[in-house]
Amino acid sequence: MNHDSYNQAATYGQSSTHGAPGAWCDFNDADAQQGEFNLIPKGTQALVRMAIKPGGYDDASRGWTGGYATASDETGAVFLSCEFVLLTGSFAKRKIWSNVGLHSNKGPTWAQMGRSFIKAVLNSSRNIHPDDASPEAQRARQIRSFGDLDGAEFAARIGIEKDGQGEYRNIIRLVIEPDHKEYADLMQAKLQRDGGTGGGSGGAPAMASPASAAPAPQSGASYTPRPGNAQSRPAWAQ
């Protein structure tokens, strides 16, 4: 580029906005690049929102409909590709990406971990005590499709692990369910964010089971958590 053409491009850029073509000729006023985020500290607890990136894979015989599942061409594994956005605390708006296992050609373990994780998400987001086997609780642990999980908000504990390339990354280490002592405080933050007031045991909301969650919902039925002993929680399905 000669001197005259450079001045022409620079003049065009100075009189433009970031969305105009000149912004892609003159980069003097561009923001400095952001460095790598530090990892969220291990053990951080927060309310998170789950979002599923549709992978377009369906298997109606297994209840995988709506195109939410993703299938790996390399391994044959099937999973939910998920993004988790932190909603509360000093790391609010940070995101964590991970997969929820649905099927692995290596055996049933990955799918079992995925089912345990989803059950814990339902318990946490709908305020169901893990020991509660009442008909209301059982209905609240049912979904019509993975779409019912898209947008679920639940309490979680963040962890750190190495990925396949040996790099450290954040993961959802634990879904915090109503039998955990931290659950009420974390869900109280949700109520404050939504402009509500606390209710239920220990300030945790007595959430209604969404009508779309159960295959045969009862109009006006809501779930009230029952006390019980704490149980060991399932591991996050990676």
Side-chain angles (χ1 to χ4, degrees), residues 141-164:
R141 293 191 190 101
Q142 297 175 15
I143 60 174
R144 285 179 171 163
S145 76
F146 293 132
D148 290 337
L149 301 173
D150 195 30
E153 296 183 1
F154 61 92
R157 184 176 301 148
I158 312 304
I160 298 173
E161 72 169 19
K162 282 187 178 181
D163 62 18

Side-chain angles (χ1 to χ4, degrees), residues 187-198:
M187 298 310 291
Q188 184 67 27
K190 171 180 170 63
L191 288 172
Q192 293 174 350
R193 185 201 64 178
D194 295 342
T197 57

Side-chain angles (χ1 to χ4, degrees), residues 39-64:
L39 290 172
I40 300 170
K42 177 181 178 181
T44 297
Q45 299 180 154
L47 186 70
V48 304
R49 179 187 296 122
M50 176 178 179
I52 304 173
K53 179 182 178 181
Y57 182 84
D58 286 336
D59 185 342
S61 67
R62 303 192 189 196
W64 304 340

Side-chain angles (χ1 to χ4, degrees), residues 48-144:
V48 304
R49 179 187 296 122
M50 176 178 179
I52 304 173
K53 179 182 178 181
Y57 182 84
D58 286 336
D59 185 342
S61 67
R62 303 192 189 196
W64 304 340
T65 60
Y68 286 96
T70 298
S72 169
D73 294 332
E74 296 180 0
T75 66
V78 184
F79 53 89
L80 298 178
S81 178
C82 297
E83 173 186 274
F84 303 93
V85 181
L86 276 67
L87 303 176
T88 57
S90 57
F91 296 95
K93 298 184 180 181
R94 289 282 298 273
K95 297 179 179 180
I96 296 172
W97 294 270
S98 199
N99 300 328
V100 178
L102 303 179
H103 168 77
S104 172
N105 290 333
K106 297 180 179 179
T109 301
W110 203 39
Q112 291 170 354
M113 293 174 67
R115 284 175 52 81
S116 293
F117 177 77
I118 292 173
K119 179 180 180 180
V121 168
L122 293 172
N123 283 344
S124 182
S125 64
R126 299 177 179 180
N127 194 17
I128 313 166
H129 195 285
D131 289 343
D132 195 338
S134 66
E136 294 83 3
Q138 292 184 38
R139 284 196 297 271
R141 293 191 190 101
Q142 297 175 15
I143 60 174
R144 285 179 171 163

